[in-house]
Amino acid sequence: MRETRQLCIGLSLSATWRKGKSEESAEKQFSSDFYVELARMAEKARLDFVFKPDALYLHAEGEEYSPRFASLDPTVMLASIARETERIGLVTTASTTFNPPFVVARQIQSLHWLSNGRAAWNIVTSIDGSENFTDSPMPSSEERYAKAAEFTDIVRKLWDSYPYEALAGRAPDQAASGKRVASIRHNGEYFSVQGPLNVPAHPAGTPPLFQAGASDSGRSFAASVADAIFASTPDMASGIELRRDLQNRAQAHGRSPDAVRVLPGLYFFLADTRSEAQMMYREAHAHLSMERRLASVRSILGLDLEGLPPDRRVTADLLPDPARPVRSRTHADLLRRLIEERQPTVEELLSRPEVIGSAHWVAAGTVEDVLQEIVARFEAGAMDGVIALPGGSIRSLELFLDELVPRLADRGLFRREYAGTTLREHLGIK
């Protein structure tokens, strides 16, 4: 169990403040200088890590409003950041549905060496992109997670297959110590991998594992292997429920209840006044017409609200069969639970974060306003930290790093200085 409980804070390296904007040049999003500067800002604030989400597809019709979906390869980008920073962790994303385990194991272990022990892997099963790899449709959520479990097991075995002690001159009696290079000889349902890996383990230990997704399958998977989960928890109740559930599931896997850190995305709009922050939030979503919101509900739940009055309550009897295939089980479960428990009006439902965004926790206000929200959720046990998703403008990020984070440190809820040099040390992983 961790000795002291402080917040874990990471920064997403996606230009989330550009949401809904088309007038700014997006060209800098493909320059390493842009991301290096963001990482340096985060490191100056002593954040735990920078994090790069990723998708292996591009919906061209959405590019006018969301150029952030076009993206450099995250591991290549983070390798460029590794040389320009010293302490901050580097969390890359790799899909278990579309990549070979050997390649992913090698890339992340390489990043671990290039960063002197600061790399981590965000494990995703992907919800789209099959058309770029195969003629077959996306596998079901259950199948994707079954494949992810085998994939992750292979990667961990590969990381162990070439021990650090087996480097020349490190362990004279390798046979006696058991620290020798060895094949893994894996033959499973989805993969056959001989090994060993051709990159040795780093003395900092294995890279931490993050997992994105909070469906039932995703929770079971995270509880078995993950050190942290990047989850969508739009309100405090969903955060408390998720964290308690993961604690129980981790214990069922023989792990500490605190083994999996719950890190919701915090999509924040910070400004000097509440009215300015609220205006930024409205502007960020002004491009979402009623038609697009209705289409979003149909995509998430298969529920058609077309023609219903804004004040009509959406009740459980209107919901389609819960077993029907959905694009994102996490988002579907969140909206389904909301409808079953609160019966929102059509107007309320169409304004939900799950419908107009990525179901992240949204906070808009002054530094003091958002500070109080963070403290309240942390003290209520709804999270172990956050992944910062700045909205509105780059000024919003500056206020977060320069004013909000130091105030968390003043309360003893965050570090003032790094105590270690590796990401495992930042996260308190033994």
Side-chain angles (χ1 to χ4, degrees):
M1 187 169 182
R2 283 162 275 168
E3 295 179 0
T4 58
R5 187 166 182 255
Q6 287 191 327
L7 285 158
C8 173
I9 303 178
L11 171 66
S12 173
L13 291 179
S14 291
T16 45
W17 57 89
R18 283 186 49 81
K19 186 174 183 179
K21 298 179 180 180
S22 57
E23 73 279 2
E24 295 180 7
S25 170
E27 192 171 318
K28 64 182 180 181
Q29 291 178 222
F30 304 96
S31 164
S32 63
D33 292 343
F34 174 65
Y35 297 102
V36 166
E37 181 58 29
L38 290 177
R40 284 174 171 168
M41 291 168 63
E43 187 170 63
K44 183 179 178 181
R46 308 298 188 263
L47 298 197
D48 292 275
F49 59 86
V50 289
F51 163 76
K52 187 63 179 75
D54 191 44
L56 295 171
Y57 63 91
L58 178 66
H59 291 319
E61 65 274 14
E63 187 66 4
E64 177 186 356
Y65 302 111
S66 301
R68 70 191 189 285
F69 284 122
S71 173
L72 297 171
D73 179 276
T75 307
V76 174
M77 180 228 289
L78 289 168
S80 72
I81 292 174
R83 294 296 300 271
E84 304 294 336
T85 55
E86 297 179 353
R87 299 287 189 94
I88 196 158
L90 309 172
V91 183
T92 189
T93 297
S95 171
T96 57
T97 299
F98 301 126
N99 287 300
F102 190 95
V103 171
V104 170
R106 187 187 190 205
Q107 288 178 334
I108 295 173
Q109 192 70 281
S110 297
L111 181 61
H112 211 36
W113 275 97
L114 294 174
S115 64
N116 292 317
R118 293 184 283 135
W121 174 26
N122 175 45
I123 306 166
V124 297
T125 64
S126 302
I127 58 174
D128 268 321
S130 60
E131 66 276 10
N132 293 325
F133 299 90
T134 176
D135 291 332
S136 302
M138 285 296 299
S140 67
S141 174
E142 293 73 20
E143 182 179 351
R144 296 201 308 272
Y145 275 109
K147 187 175 182 180
E150 184 179 335
F151 190 115
T152 304
D153 181 55
I154 294 169
V155 169
R156 296 169 82 185
K157 288 177 179 176
L158 287 169
W159 285 343
D160 290 339
S161 69
Y162 190 162
Y164 173 71
E165 292 84 355
L167 286 171
R170 292 292 180 184
D173 188 8
Q174 293 176 24
S177 67
K179 301 294 186 179
R180 60 197 312 175
V181 179
S183 299
I184 67 171
R185 298 184 179 88
H186 177 93
N187 288 287
E189 182 178 357
Y190 299 99
F191 302 102
S192 178
V193 181
Q194 178 73 12
L197 192 63
N198 57 354
V199 181
H202 191 275
T206 56
L209 300 179
F210 286 54
Q211 189 266 337
S215 65
D216 184 68
S217 298
R219 293 180 185 205
S220 294
F221 176 63
S224 67
V225 299
D227 298 297
I229 183 170
F230 177 37
S232 296
T233 57
D235 49 47
M236 189 182 294
S238 61
I240 292 172
E241 185 276 328
L242 173 62
R243 189 164 178 269
R244 287 177 178 171
D245 185 46
L246 283 172
Q247 287 176 330
N248 293 332
R249 293 184 191 229
Q251 284 186 297
H253 283 284
R255 306 178 71 198
S256 163
D258 294 321
V260 187
R261 295 148 186 80
V262 175
L263 306 178
L266 170 57
Y267 186 31
F268 57 87
F269 295 77
L270 284 171
D272 295 325
T273 65
R274 291 177 184 172
S275 59
E276 183 183 353
Q278 292 291 339
M279 181 179 297
M280 287 196 301
Y281 175 75
R282 289 193 297 271
E283 289 176 349
H285 299 93
H287 65 284
L288 293 176
S289 65
M290 182 62 65
E291 289 73 19
R292 292 186 66 171
R293 295 176 190 231
L294 290 168
S296 178
V297 174
R298 284 194 297 270
S299 172
I300 296 170
L301 281 176
L303 176 61
D304 190 356
L305 300 176
E306 186 77 41
L308 295 181
D311 60 352
R312 165 71 184 271
R313 295 222 166 257
V314 183
T315 53
D317 60 289
L318 297 177
L319 289 169
D321 182 353
R324 69 180 296 277
V326 294
R327 179 173 177 270
S328 169
R329 179 59 60 187
T330 296
H331 289 183
D333 289 348
L334 282 169
L335 272 189
R336 182 174 287 274
R337 189 179 303 119
L338 173 77
I339 291 169
E340 290 173 344
E341 295 178 357
R342 303 189 191 179
Q343 297 84 47
T345 64
V346 169
E347 183 177 26
E348 290 169 343
L349 186 65
L350 294 180
S351 66
R352 289 289 300 180
E354 299 94 322
V355 173
I356 63 175
S358 298
H360 294 306
W361 162 21
V362 177
T366 64
V367 167
E368 179 63 25
D369 292 333
V370 178
L371 174 72
Q372 293 301 328
E373 283 197 47
I374 292 173
V375 172
R377 289 205 185 199
F378 187 58
E379 292 181 345
M383 64 179 192
D384 295 286
V386 297
I387 294 182
L389 307 167
S393 69
I394 193 68
R395 171 66 175 157
S396 187
L397 173 59
E398 293 169 347
L399 286 171
F400 182 85
L401 296 175
D402 298 341
E403 296 188 23
L404 198 154
V405 171
R407 291 181 65 176
L408 288 169
D410 289 342
R411 291 173 175 243
L413 298 178
F414 195 66
R415 69 171 65 85
R416 292 192 181 278
E417 296 293 340
Y418 288 116
T421 60
T422 71
L423 181 53
R424 291 178 69 91
E425 289 174 314
H426 301 344
L427 298 176
I429 301 173
K430 302 298 183 183

